[in-house]
Amino acid sequence: MRRSDLIASLAALLVSAAVALAAPPQRVVSINLCTDQLALLIAAPGQLVSVTRLSHEDTDSAFSEQARALPANGSGAEEIYLLKPDLVLAGTFTSMATISMLRNLGIEVAQFAPARALSDVPERLTQMGEALGREAEATALIDEFNAELAELSAAPAHRPRAALTYVNNYSSGRHSLAGDVLFAAGSDNVAEEVGLGSVGVLPLEQLVLLAPDVIIQGRNYPGAARAEDNLDHPALSSLKGTYMAGELTDRDWVCGTPNVLNAVRSMVNLRKQVEARK
Amino acid sequence: MKLTILLTTLCVVLFVISLVTGTTPVSVWHSFTSLFATDGTPMSVVMQQIRLPRALLAVMIGASLGVSGAAMQGYLRNPLAEPGLIGVSAAAGLGAVLALQTGLAAAFALALPLSALLAALIAVAMILTLAGPGVPR
């Protein structure tokens, strides 16, 4: 073989390798509720072949209708391997055993961190666009998201003091997705006044003493856990000057997808409602 | 008699301490004025809706535990007896869980305690039947 032939074939080999690397994955399996939703938004038709079981449920998944068109998986290494994916989408909190097993079997796994702020949403969209080879779609969604968020988070004249309270007195501070939704929608979070930064417990007594302008409650799931009794504690309804907004944190609050804008929108409407009461 | 007075006094003192203890430190005086205030301020809500029910509940639970312990000790003639000995506690727990899981507890307020009592009664009846009248002496 002549040297120029060798160089030409080497170059051809390199080019095809690069194309193979850059070629978008054809069979993508998602094993995390939030990557399911990001992938459903961005993936090309037929590219995503399976989503998690949770995604099929209306209570947790904002895209349950689209998700039900795809077979569900239970996020186990064995069943995922049998689906023969060339890319698996997982969360950073997905079981390490599952992820390392899939990687040892030669399957590429992309991990996505959960969104802790609204600014994480464009980042995750970009990451998903790159993972699926659909950068243009991701960019379009990001532009749409940023424009809508900017419109929704126009600075209000007055910021009411709001509190988020969930089952077992959990609450979200400023540095969480729910807290950031509240902040962007123009309300201050009382959890911050007692030093709750991200997610933690805000005892009922403390919540009552903070006397927020509005209390937003987490969901009361079907079933009858004692932990949920706190949501309708008589102390909350006897507070004068506090508006009980009821259960508002639904499936749009769970994942960092453009759907959190629905949550922001509902919080903006709630803020206006609270202002109107005064 | 002396012991009864001592224990009753202790109970009253602990009740008061429970009323003025909470996640937020508030002065004893402010706590008590809020307890009787009808102004609906956050502190009076805390005293009337959270701390007072909590302290009363503790007294009532303690009293019923004491009564059931005394009944067991008399019935079994064993000074160390407690309801768990004949399966009352575990069966009541099962009854409560069944009421919660079937949604019965949400049907009406007393569904949960009634279901627990019923399960406890059934368990006691079963255990006493199984154990028989005992060895004749």
Side-chain angles (χ1 to χ4, degrees), chain A residues 89-107:
Chain A
L89 305 171
T92 44
F93 288 96
T94 302
S95 155
M96 263 330 286
T98 306
I99 287 171
S100 59
M101 196 177 285
L102 288 170
R103 282 189 175 144
N104 287 341
L105 289 167
I107 294 171

Side-chain angles (χ1 to χ4, degrees), chain A residues 15-271:
Chain A
V15 167
S16 60
V19 167
L21 272 176
Q26 296 307 310
R27 286 183 64 79
V28 179
V29 170
S30 169
I31 59 171
N32 172 282
L33 176 65
C34 294
T35 56
D36 286 351
Q37 303 187 17
L38 287 171
L40 281 166
L41 273 171
I42 294 177
Q47 193 178 20
L48 185 65
V49 293
S50 174
V51 291
T52 61
R53 205 156 286 146
L54 276 177
S55 267
H56 281 200
E57 293 185 16
D58 293 327
T59 46
D60 296 303
S61 167
F63 299 95
S64 49
E65 218 163 282
Q66 295 97 306
R68 275 194 287 268
L70 296 170
N73 68 67
S75 310
E78 186 179 315
E79 57 177 321
I80 302 305
Y81 183 67
L82 291 176
L83 288 169
K84 300 197 189 68
D86 49 13
L87 174 67
V88 169
L89 305 171
T92 44
F93 288 96
T94 302
S95 155
M96 263 330 286
T98 306
I99 287 171
S100 59
M101 196 177 285
L102 288 170
R103 282 189 175 144
N104 287 341
L105 289 167
I107 294 171
E108 198 189 326
V109 181
Q111 285 182 283
F112 293 75
R116 291 210 171 83
L118 288 168
S119 59
D120 285 348
V121 176
E123 276 175 40
R124 298 301 172 269
L125 286 169
T126 308
Q127 193 190 350
M128 185 59 81
E130 281 166 3
L132 299 178
R134 305 265 292 172
E135 286 88 347
E137 284 76 6
T139 313
L141 283 167
I142 291 168
D143 292 342
E144 209 177 306
F145 175 84
N146 285 337
E148 213 169 323
L149 180 62
E151 196 180 309
L152 284 170
S153 50
H158 173 70
R159 298 178 70 89
R161 295 165 66 246
L164 289 161
T165 180
Y166 313 119
V167 157
N168 259 350
N169 293 325
Y170 274 90
S171 184
S172 295
R174 170 85 176 81
H175 304 288
S176 62
L177 185 60
D180 206 25
V181 165
L182 200 61
F183 183 81
S187 293
D188 281 333
N189 194 334
V190 292
E192 251 179 301
E193 294 172 26
V194 289
L196 186 65
S198 53
V199 177
V201 173
L202 181 63
L204 187 64
E205 195 177 303
Q206 219 161 24
L207 175 63
V208 170
L209 285 176
L210 285 167
D213 294 322
V214 55
I215 295 181
I216 301 132
Q217 295 180 303
R219 281 179 295 173
N220 197 340
Y221 283 89
R226 298 268 91 180
E228 291 175 338
D229 285 358
N230 263 336
L231 293 178
D232 32 55
H233 194 285
L236 293 177
S237 42
S238 15
L239 268 180
K240 288 176 191 165
T242 295
Y243 176 55
M244 296 299 296
E247 298 161 19
L248 285 177
T249 60
D250 61 2
R251 57 190 189 168
D252 288 330
W253 292 67
V254 179
C255 288
T257 70
N259 265 52
V260 288
L261 291 174
N262 292 340
V264 178
R265 197 170 297 116
S266 75
M267 286 301 104
V268 170
N269 291 340
L270 176 66
R271 174 169 55 78

